[in-house]
Amino acid sequence: MNENKHQTITLPAYIFDLDGVLVDTAHYHFLAWNRLAKELGFSITEQENERLKGVSRMKALDIVLEMGNVNASAEEKEEMAARKNNWYVEYLETLDQGHLLPGAHEFIAASKKMGIKIALGSASKNARTILKKLGLLSVFDGIVDGTMTTKAKPNPEVFLLGAELLKVSPSNCVVFEDAQAGIEAARAAGMTAIGIGSEHNLTGAALVVPSLAHLTPEELSQQLSLLQQQ
Ligand code: BG6
Ligand code: MG
């Protein structure tokens, strides 16, 4: 008798970051922050913008103000963050499925076809608006956005909440992230982190691919089991 006949294979659960992993909004964030910086008398570079990825709006503002050596009161900061967000939301008006990043749609479809549970783990308070525009609001088994967390990445809160919504243990979760803060948050949650982007900007990920177009769920599980054997 085949002893493996009744062996059950545990599927992983996937948690996707939104901005920069599924949708090309990182550039809009950059444009809006740079517009604020210019109004304050300085500018930020694309490389400096890497530090703003993945972190909450208020934390990103603190980093921007630090870059420009600008001091501001709590009240002024609230106003600046709102000003930046208004521009960002204006840019989002033109967002449609054409802004989905390469492979995002296909990878999500393939994951669902395999029965893999999927969640969103985003720092953005605009996440649901964006998902709606992309027609992705109903594909996730759980959504965690910036309105549901109090601690910004690299704190693991967002991903731990995602695992809770999916009712899976953190060690069974694979996180897809384009930001260093997100990779660190995933690792702090005890999850496997997959970097989306350039290896140069993403340290500590189990694997880094330029986009989800370079991976299928099958290839990913093969690569992860190879890494485990090493
Ligand atoms: C993250 C982005 O997804 O959301 C960050 O990578 C951004 O750059 C953060 O600061 C918060 O977004 P929002 O939409 O709430 O300002
Ligand atoms: Mg991101």
Side-chain angles (χ1 to χ4, degrees), residues 44-115:
I44 52 178
T45 64
E46 292 261 8
Q47 188 56 39
E48 284 174 322
N49 183 55
E50 285 302 314
R51 288 180 63 201
L52 309 178
K53 288 185 179 174
V55 300
S56 68
R57 194 180 306 166
M58 293 314 283
K59 193 162 173 190
L61 174 65
D62 281 337
I63 299 172
V64 169
L65 294 180
E66 186 198 299
M67 286 170 182
N69 270 319
V70 175
N71 287 316
S73 67
E75 204 182 319
E76 285 166 338
K77 281 192 202 174
E78 284 299 334
E79 182 281 320
M80 287 175 192
R83 206 179 336 156
K84 180 265 172 181
N85 191 55
N86 285 341
W87 291 323
Y88 178 62
V89 171
E90 229 173 80
Y91 299 149
L92 288 182
E93 273 171 29
T94 57
L95 198 78
D96 60 23
Q97 295 195 348
H99 290 82
L100 277 169
L101 285 165
H105 188 269
E106 295 79 358
F107 193 89
I108 286 180
S111 311
K112 287 190 73 87
K113 205 168 163 199
M114 283 175 73

Side-chain angles (χ1 to χ4, degrees), residues 94-186:
T94 57
L95 198 78
D96 60 23
Q97 295 195 348
H99 290 82
L100 277 169
L101 285 165
H105 188 269
E106 295 79 358
F107 193 89
I108 286 180
S111 311
K112 287 190 73 87
K113 205 168 163 199
M114 283 175 73
I116 293 172
K117 286 188 184 178
I118 62 167
L120 189 88
S122 169
S124 173
K125 293 184 172 167
N126 295 298
R128 281 170 198 269
T129 310
I130 294 170
L131 288 180
K132 206 168 166 190
K133 281 187 158 287
L134 301 174
L136 288 180
L137 199 53
S138 60
V139 305
F140 292 95
D141 302 297
I143 294 176
V144 185
D145 66 20
T147 66
M148 299 161 74
T149 53
T150 53
K151 299 177 200 106
K153 297 173 188 174
N155 186 286
E157 185 187 21
V158 56
F159 296 135
L160 291 173
L161 203 54
E164 222 175 287
L165 289 183
L166 295 180
K167 299 189 179 65
V168 294
S169 85
S171 62
N172 205 25
C173 293
V174 179
V175 170
F176 300 87
E177 258 294 348
D178 71 314
Q180 184 59 34
I183 301 286
E184 286 165 24

Side-chain angles (χ1 to χ4, degrees), residues 159-227:
F159 296 135
L160 291 173
L161 203 54
E164 222 175 287
L165 289 183
L166 295 180
K167 299 189 179 65
V168 294
S169 85
S171 62
N172 205 25
C173 293
V174 179
V175 170
F176 300 87
E177 258 294 348
D178 71 314
Q180 184 59 34
I183 301 286
E184 286 165 24
R187 295 189 63 184
M191 301 177 179
T192 303
I194 306 298
I196 305 293
S198 131
E199 237 168 280
H200 173 70
N201 294 320
L202 301 167
T203 44
L207 182 74
V208 179
V209 286
S211 77
L212 286 171
H214 291 75
L215 213 55
T216 64
E218 287 92 346
E219 283 163 3
L220 178 60
S221 48
Q222 279 165 12
Q223 298 226 28
L224 290 178
S225 58
L226 281 178
L227 285 172

